[in-house]
Amino acid sequence: MVVKVSIFGMGLVASHYIVGLYRLKEGSMKPYGVPLAKYDLAVDFLEEEIVSVYDVDTRKVGKSVRDIVTESLKDVIPLPSSLPETEVRKGLLMGSAAGLDKLFPVSGRDQEIEPMEAIEEIANELKKDSIDVVFNLISTEPAEPFRSEEELLKRIKEGKASAAQAYAYATYLASKDTGKQIAFINLIPTPLANDPVMVNLFAETNSLLLGDDGATGATPLTADLLEHLAERNRLIRFIVQFNIGGNTDFLALTIPERNLMKEKTKSSIVEDILGYDAPHYIRPTGYVEAIGDRKFVAMDIEWITFNGLVDELIVNMRINDSPALAGLAVDLARLSKALMERGVKGTCYEVNAFYMKNPGPKNAKNEARIKAYYDMLKYLKELKIIKE
């Protein structure tokens, strides 16, 4: 079996995913950072193949994946000789264009032809390539869910849907036209798995929409710490958590509307886990180019314990941001393929709850990641995705 993968957004996460995947294929590294690597799954990550890649950065469009990856990572990690020569295709800007041109030169198909025509063009390419799994790894963007399919179509035709929403709709069209199941994995904050309209479209075609916003470092750790404190009936006085990074995604988050989307998904854990909305400040707060991809994370949680005394936890971390998310992607591609083969469609909370900051479907609760992990293992064993 081959799991054919397409990627929207040829940034550092995509680069690390591609390099790591092909290093795993050639046996030159251990699968550390791939959560389910120690289990025997129905679909092996060695079966994942990168077939197509899209971007709107004019410096990348037309170049090969090999060239882009080599340029960004040659001094960081060993590069496998088997890197794909796949050419980066022009993607979509749609309603997500605002501010991007301040970060890097951009161009989208929807600037050249009508938005729906551009979406259908990409859908046709996904069909031609017989894609199984699509990753959404574009820059964080401002977006709101649709109220109806009619609103979705109206906003798409007017070019007012976000780029992620347009890519998801193109994936839905490709699946609808061919009858082939295709998974769309949304690793940015745009509400897709939390949008009932989008989830219903994917359910119609027996396809899968996973999301939203991959949970890699500070957020899952915060969730587990809050669960620990909640179990002991300690009253949280406040939570402060912030990240500063130097990669392109942190640069994009200097645009207020984009930062707001990330803040929403990072903050959603508080009330879900505690049962009350403790005072909190949880958001990306800055861009410092010299920090690079190894972001700085700081956390301060204060609580009231027995006899009314106050305790405090302070955490500082440095996390390689893009590789952390790329390791999750290795799992998610094969998991989504196996889930669809077993009839799972629409979205899948059991998987989202562990891998995502804001797990779909809409109104689903965040929970401690240690609980979500064991719940997911049980679920995957029941489906015989994890072999025993």
Side-chain angles (χ1 to χ4, degrees):
M1 178 195 301
V2 175
V3 180
K4 295 183 177 182
V5 176
S6 182
I7 300 173
F8 293 113
M10 188 56 218
L12 270 179
V13 177
S15 293
H16 274 284
Y17 167 58
I18 293 168
V19 169
L21 178 63
Y22 285 88
R23 289 181 73 193
L24 289 170
K25 285 174 175 287
E26 69 178 23
S28 63
M29 76 169 194
K30 299 290 186 182
Y32 301 130
V34 181
L36 298 181
K38 60 186 177 182
Y39 295 98
D40 184 10
L41 267 63
V43 180
D44 197 312
F45 52 64
L46 299 180
E47 297 169 298
E48 298 171 27
E49 291 285 351
I50 310 303
V51 176
S52 60
V53 181
Y54 296 79
D55 208 288
V56 294
D57 186 337
T58 59
R59 299 169 301 176
K60 297 176 181 178
V61 175
K63 284 188 175 181
S64 74
V65 166
R66 173 187 288 274
D67 288 345
I68 293 170
V69 165
T70 300
E71 186 178 328
S72 60
L73 295 180
K74 65 181 178 181
D75 298 325
V76 180
I77 51 177
L79 301 181
S81 58
S82 56
L83 282 171
E85 297 284 357
T86 309
E87 182 179 302
V88 177
R89 301 169 183 172
K90 185 179 291 189
L92 302 170
L93 284 169
M94 299 295 288
S96 304
L100 266 189
D101 57 351
K102 297 177 183 177
L103 309 180
F104 44 80
V106 298
S107 178
R109 298 186 193 200
D110 50 300
Q111 294 176 315
E112 302 159 359
I113 55 178
E114 291 297 317
M116 185 60 82
E117 187 180 347
I119 289 170
E120 289 173 347
E121 193 173 82
I122 288 179
N124 287 332
E125 291 171 10
L126 296 175
K127 289 191 291 186
K128 182 180 178 182
D129 293 332
S130 195
I131 297 298
D132 297 296
V133 175
V134 173
F135 279 113
N136 183 40
L137 292 169
I138 67 173
S139 297
T140 300
E141 58 178 9
E144 295 296 333
F146 300 108
R147 290 183 291 264
S148 66
E149 189 173 346
E150 291 72 26
E151 184 196 7
L152 178 155
L153 291 170
K154 182 175 184 292
R155 279 166 54 183
I156 283 177
K157 288 174 181 176
E158 294 173 350
K160 294 180 180 177
S162 78
Q165 290 167 333
Y167 286 136
Y169 192 70
T171 304
Y172 156 73
L173 289 178
S175 178
K176 179 184 177 184
D177 291 348
T178 60
K180 178 182 174 62
Q181 296 171 309
I182 308 176
F184 189 95
I185 302 170
N186 181 41
L187 293 174
I188 73 167
T190 302
L192 296 178
N194 279 276
D195 183 342
V197 174
M198 278 292 188
V199 170
N200 288 341
L201 289 178
F202 276 75
E204 283 177 17
T205 61
N206 297 310
S207 292
L208 192 60
L209 175 54
L210 297 180
D212 296 313
D213 200 9
T216 55
T219 301
L221 177 60
T222 303
D224 283 347
L225 290 172
L226 293 181
E227 175 68 22
H228 168 83
L229 295 168
E231 287 172 359
R232 286 151 182 79
N233 196 29
R234 292 162 179 166
L235 178 67
I236 305 298
R237 296 189 68 239
F238 65 79
I239 306 155
V240 176
Q241 179 210 301
F242 64 87
N243 306 349
I244 298 174
N247 60 28
T248 305
D249 200 42
F250 275 91
L251 180 58
L253 292 174
T254 60
I255 301 170
E257 296 85 354
R258 295 173 186 270
N259 196 301
L260 181 61
M261 291 303 302
K262 183 68 77 170
E263 181 187 347
K264 285 180 181 179
T265 61
K266 291 175 76 67
S267 295
S268 61
I269 61 173
V270 177
E271 189 167 1
D272 283 353
I273 293 175
L274 295 179
Y276 57 94
D277 192 16
H280 63 273
Y281 180 98
I282 302 176
R283 66 180 69 173
T285 52
Y287 170 77
V288 178
E289 184 178 5
I291 288 180
D293 194 47
R294 192 163 165 251
K295 67 183 179 183
F296 169 70
V297 178
M299 187 188 313
D300 186 0
I301 305 176
E302 192 171 281
W303 64 88
I304 298 173
T305 188
F306 193 61
N307 273 335
L309 297 173
V310 175
D311 292 335
E312 184 177 22
L313 173 70
I314 298 174
V315 177
N316 287 333
M317 298 188 289
R318 292 291 302 278
I319 298 173
N320 285 286
D321 196 26
S322 300
L325 188 53
L328 304 190
V330 172
D331 261 352
L332 286 164
R334 61 191 184 138
L335 274 179
S336 59
K337 177 68 173 175
L339 287 165
M340 290 188 300
E341 288 177 342
R342 284 152 181 79
V344 180
K345 60 185 179 180
T347 195
C348 180
Y349 173 73
E350 290 81 1
V351 171
N352 293 337
F354 175 69
Y355 286 97
M356 305 295 172
K357 289 187 182 77
N358 187 26
K362 185 179 180 180
N363 298 324
K365 293 286 188 181
N366 256 293
E367 59 182 9
R369 293 318 189 266
I370 189 167
K371 179 179 185 304
Y373 178 72
Y374 287 105
D375 286 348
M376 179 181 67
L377 290 182
K378 180 182 177 183
Y379 175 75
L380 296 177
K381 288 174 182 176
E382 288 172 352
L383 290 178
K384 296 185 169 35
I385 291 176
I386 291 180
K387 303 175 186 177
E388 294 189 276

